[in-house]
Amino acid sequence: MNQLRIAYQQELSAFGEEAANQLWGGDVDLIPFKDFADIASAVGTGVADRGVLPIEHTILGSVQASQDAIDAVPEIFAVAEAVVPSQLCLLGPKGAVLSSVGDVFCQPLALGQFMKCFREHSAITVHSVLDTGASVLDVENLADPQFAVVASRVALLTHSLAVVAPDIQDRPDAQTRFLGISAARQALPDGTPVRTTLLITVGDIPGALLHALNPLARHGVNMRRLEGRPTGEPWSYRFFVEFDHESGDSEVEVVLAEVQSAARNMRWLGTYPRWNAGRRGSIGWKSGSFELPG
């Protein structure tokens, strides 16, 4: 049997590999990509069987680039979700200590998680970089305790570095939620706790969005998330709508029909099992294929 081909972002602060292993185990063929748009395209064209895209972060909020990538590829569907702890560390040469660090390389999207740490160490200059992997290699090659990089512990598996400061994010419980995507929807047993994601556009008239969302409240469906994104046309917006329910609930079919009738356009992105349904305890660093170094 052929291994599942899973597309993910190969960025050492993005946690895509952990999300893929959480959803589909370690016995998969992981295909790295630089951009979220490339992940969505790979799944839509069949280059990959599945993909993982970060959709929101507990500190930084929505990952807009992922939402735009999903919006651009109508052939893909959401089939799963995963939540991964977003513990990032300050990594430097072996023997480096925090007091020796003067320059830190950090991916701009990650920077907002560590404002407290860098305020407390004002002597550190933070340099914005687009490629964490390249910066990890630079710090390793420089072997100078003045330089460090913000990355996950995954980097320790392949680079000769050490943890200068562990878990430097402002909140220790920071997490990233991922959507698992596929070119085909999946059938789920009735009664499964699920989440549905819709993309809708509405008319530019008073009350249009309220009218489109009102069926959820009227039928007692819990809307979990609402996010607006530009469509590309000037001052026109598309809304990501997520709500929780159980699969096979006939009331939800009525809700979908009413939302579609009230909206200008509606795309059913997918219905998938909720990550936290039936789970107990906290999530740790152990994944389906390896255990990260401490």
Side-chain angles (χ1 to χ4, degrees):
M1 183 177 178
N2 293 331
Q3 289 180 315
L4 278 177
R5 299 165 299 167
I6 313 296
Y8 76 106
Q9 188 193 31
Q10 189 182 33
E11 174 63 46
L12 289 174
S13 60
F15 305 102
E17 186 172 353
E18 288 96 315
N21 281 304
Q22 186 185 126
L23 289 174
W24 295 293
D27 190 21
V28 294
D29 181 13
L30 293 172
I31 307 175
F33 290 91
K34 283 286 186 185
D35 299 319
F36 299 143
D38 293 335
I39 294 171
S41 177
V43 175
T45 57
V47 172
D49 303 305
R50 304 281 192 277
V52 287
L53 287 169
I55 202 70
E56 61 177 326
H57 187 275
T58 53
I59 296 176
L60 303 178
S62 299
V63 183
Q64 296 175 349
S66 283
Q67 294 182 147
D68 293 344
I70 290 169
D71 189 17
V73 184
E75 296 84 8
I76 61 176
F77 303 95
V79 296
E81 69 173 4
V83 174
V84 176
S86 299
Q87 283 100 336
L88 290 171
C89 302
L90 203 59
L91 304 181
K94 293 183 177 180
V97 293
L98 189 56
S99 60
S100 73
V101 174
D103 296 274
V104 169
F105 303 110
C106 184
Q107 212 268 352
L109 289 177
L111 183 57
Q113 302 180 52
F114 318 116
M115 301 310 295
K116 181 179 178 182
C117 174
F118 293 133
R119 280 196 302 267
E120 291 175 350
H121 299 86
S122 57
I124 292 177
T125 300
V126 181
H127 304 275
S128 179
V129 295
L130 295 179
D131 189 335
T132 301
S135 296
V136 166
L137 186 59
D138 287 342
V139 170
E140 181 180 34
N141 290 336
L142 286 167
D144 185 333
Q146 176 179 333
F147 296 98
V149 59
V150 174
S152 81
R153 286 181 172 90
V154 171
L156 301 178
L157 296 170
T158 53
H159 296 274
S160 182
L161 294 172
V163 176
V164 176
D167 303 339
I168 61 172
Q169 64 281 351
D170 290 348
R171 287 186 59 97
D173 58 352
Q175 299 170 35
T176 302
R177 175 174 166 249
F178 287 79
L179 284 184
I181 58 173
S182 172
R185 291 191 179 101
Q186 63 176 340
L188 296 169
D190 287 353
T192 302
V194 293
R195 180 162 293 148
T196 288
T197 301
L198 307 177
L199 281 68
I200 66 171
T201 57
V202 298
D204 187 14
I205 57 175
L209 180 59
L210 176 62
H211 184 52
L213 297 178
N214 190 48
L216 281 80
R218 192 167 59 249
H219 292 277
V221 176
N222 179 31
M223 185 174 70
R224 180 189 176 278
R225 181 168 170 264
L226 176 65
E227 178 83 14
R229 291 293 297 146
T231 65
E233 299 177 7
W235 317 121
S236 175
Y237 302 92
R238 179 173 286 107
F239 296 91
F240 283 72
V241 181
E242 293 184 344
F243 57 89
D244 294 345
H245 57 102
E246 291 187 351
S247 59
D249 185 347
S250 58
E251 195 81 0
V252 172
E253 297 299 321
V254 176
V255 169
L256 291 173
E258 291 184 5
V259 171
Q260 185 166 29
S261 176
R264 176 179 290 173
N265 293 294
M266 186 188 86
R267 173 184 169 190
W268 174 31
L269 181 60
T271 297
Y272 44 91
R274 295 203 297 272
W275 174 85
N276 61 350
R279 289 179 178 261
R280 295 291 184 271
S282 61
I283 44 183
W285 280 104
K286 191 173 177 61
S287 77
S289 62
F290 53 77
E291 187 165 354
L292 300 172

